[in-house]
Structures are given as structure tokens and as C-alpha cells.
Amino acid sequence: MTAQISSSTFKRSSWHEIHQSLGISLLDHLYNRLDGIYPTRWKAQFPNERAIENWREAWAEAFEEERIDTRMVSDALRMCRKTHDWPPSLAEFLKACKPIINVDAALHEAVNQMHARQHCKDQWSDPAIFWAAVKVGEFDLLSLPFAALKPRFEAALTKVREGEVLPVPARVPALQAPGKSESTREYGRQRLNELSASNLIRKVSQGGNLAWAYRAIEEHERAGMVPQHKLNLARKAILSVTGREP
């Protein structure tokens, strides 16, 4: 699109900026994609440049308020190709960007994939499900009954989807158990050194109210004398606050 943009009081967002690799803005790229999916039908909605500019402003504002990112837009375009015979309205496109997730199915996935994650074999259909599981906490997710988890998980999933959803981080594989030739103390020192090298144990001064949790894990790795319930609580606290598993 090369038509002159008319003046507007709407505050420009990143969706209006020229994308370096595209040579046009992300909004104009989206306009062209929708025009390609719905030839003649899409452009027929815009009798003049003012109508196109109104579309730019309304969609950019909605994308900013709903925290829509380029991945969501790509997913929405894919859904439109499959399910929409006619060009989507703004409301329809936003729903396609954030499709409804079946909470029951998502919770079952969260439980199964958190089990798989212990072996670094987890696969998530949507990163929002992972981050909702993190908010609930791995320990609770794998120990509490479904009925008790569902309201907490649903609330966590709703909260996660309100903001930017980051990709699922890789989990650092657990080390193998010590061999028969190693003493428990030698293995503990080796494990602690490797954890420190991987930055999985942070300085107590940076831990704030998590200092006790890091100390518990450090003591467990050093001497193996920390009760299991305290160790589980420490891991849960770190995961809940930092989003990373110790």
C-alpha cells in the first residue's frame, strides 16, 4: 500500500513502524496478507484511504491493549484460512489470536508434561499452559487432586494470557546418581559445583525472601540432610517466584 496516510491523533505503536526486513509496517503487511487470503472481499471494505487509516488505528490500538504479538497474528491468519470464508472483524481476529483453551484438557496436559519435564521430554501445545503450571507450582500440580487444582490453574491461565507469553524455557537435565565408587560427600561437592557453574544457585544477597530456599537446596546437595518436605517446599518457592526450576 502506498496511499498517503492522513493525520491522526492516535499514538503510533510498533505496529506502525517500518519493519526492516519487510520494508513496510507490520500492519501494512497484515493488510496485504488478508488481501491475499480474501482477494476482492478484503479491499472491498475500504472505499478510501481514510477507511484504511481507521482500520490501522483501531487494530493497532487493540493489538497494544490485548498484548498481541507477531506469533499470535501468524496463528490467527492460519486459523482464518481454515475457518473464515469472509474477512474477519477485529473482534473475530482477536479471538483467533487468543483462541479459547479448554481448561480441563489444558490441566491434563500440564500434569502430564510436568511429569515428562522431569526427564526433559515435555512438549507443550501452548506456552501459556506451561506458565500457568509454573504459577500453580510443580509440587502442587503433581500431588493435588484435579478438583483442587482446576480453579487455581484456570485463574493462573487467565492471568498468564493477559500478558506477554514467553516461550517455554529448556530444562537443565538432572545429573546421574553417584556411582558406587563415589562417596556421598564427594558427589555432593561435585553436584554443588556444577549447580553453581550453571547459575542455578544464586547468591543469598540476590535471593531476598528465597534465601532460605537456596540454602536448603545447597545443604541438601552438600550433605543430603534436608527433610524431603522442606526440600520440596524450597523448590516450589523458587519455581513459583523465578519461573525457573532449581
Side-chain angles (χ1 to χ4, degrees):
M1 286 184 300
T2 59
Q4 184 71 25
I5 297 177
S6 57
S7 60
S8 171
T9 58
F10 176 69
K11 183 179 179 180
R12 297 284 151 171
S13 73
S14 60
W15 290 93
H16 291 285
E17 297 173 359
I18 301 300
H19 193 277
Q20 186 174 3
S21 62
L22 296 174
I24 57 176
S25 71
L26 291 172
L27 272 179
D28 284 353
H29 181 61
L30 174 58
Y31 180 100
N32 292 339
R33 292 293 304 277
L34 289 167
D35 182 43
I37 297 173
Y38 305 101
T40 69
R41 292 180 177 179
W42 176 252
K43 283 185 176 179
Q45 302 177 107
F46 308 99
N48 51 50
E49 174 59 27
R50 180 66 257 177
I52 296 176
E53 181 62 13
N54 289 341
W55 171 84
R56 288 192 186 105
E57 294 181 0
W59 284 51
E61 183 178 24
F63 285 178
E64 293 288 350
E65 290 180 355
E66 298 295 330
R67 298 179 182 271
I68 301 299
D69 58 31
T70 54
R71 177 188 61 83
M72 294 176 183
V73 169
S74 296
D75 291 344
L77 285 171
R78 192 177 303 111
M79 181 177 293
C80 286
R81 290 199 303 267
K82 295 178 180 179
T83 61
H84 289 66
D85 294 330
W86 287 86
S89 66
L90 174 56
E92 290 171 332
F93 195 82
L94 290 174
K95 289 178 181 178
C97 287
K98 293 185 176 182
I100 296 174
I101 295 179
N102 183 290
V103 177
D104 287 0
L107 179 51
H108 281 297
E109 176 181 325
V111 172
N112 291 334
Q113 294 310 313
M114 274 301 186
H115 275 296
R117 190 170 176 80
Q118 294 177 343
H119 307 286
C120 302
K121 295 181 179 180
D122 52 315
Q123 295 182 338
W124 303 83
S125 64
D126 189 317
I129 298 176
F130 167 77
W131 291 113
V134 169
K135 279 187 171 294
V136 172
E138 181 179 8
F139 179 74
D140 283 358
L141 197 70
L142 301 182
S143 60
L144 296 179
F146 188 91
L149 284 173
K150 183 175 178 178
R152 291 176 55 189
F153 180 79
E154 185 172 10
L157 185 60
T158 299
K159 186 67 175 178
V160 166
R161 300 187 83 205
E162 289 176 351
E164 180 184 2
V165 181
L166 299 176
V168 176
R171 177 167 184 167
V172 179
L175 296 179
Q176 296 295 321
K180 294 181 179 179
S181 61
E182 296 180 279
S183 71
T184 301
R185 186 172 296 278
E186 288 173 347
Y187 175 69
R189 281 198 300 268
Q190 178 187 0
R191 175 63 169 150
L192 179 58
N193 289 338
E194 289 173 343
L195 284 171
S196 299
S198 301
N199 293 321
L200 295 181
I201 293 183
R202 300 175 180 178
K203 294 179 181 180
V204 171
S205 60
Q206 296 175 335
N209 63 344
L210 291 179
W212 66 270
Y214 290 112
R215 283 198 300 270
I217 293 176
E218 182 178 348
E219 177 64 19
H220 173 73
E221 301 299 344
R222 184 181 65 80
M225 299 297 291
V226 178
Q228 187 63 42
H229 74 280
K230 183 176 181 180
L231 184 63
N232 289 338
L233 287 174
R235 288 171 173 165
K236 174 186 173 183
I238 294 171
L239 177 63
S240 298
V241 173
T242 69
R244 296 183 60 188
E245 299 174 12

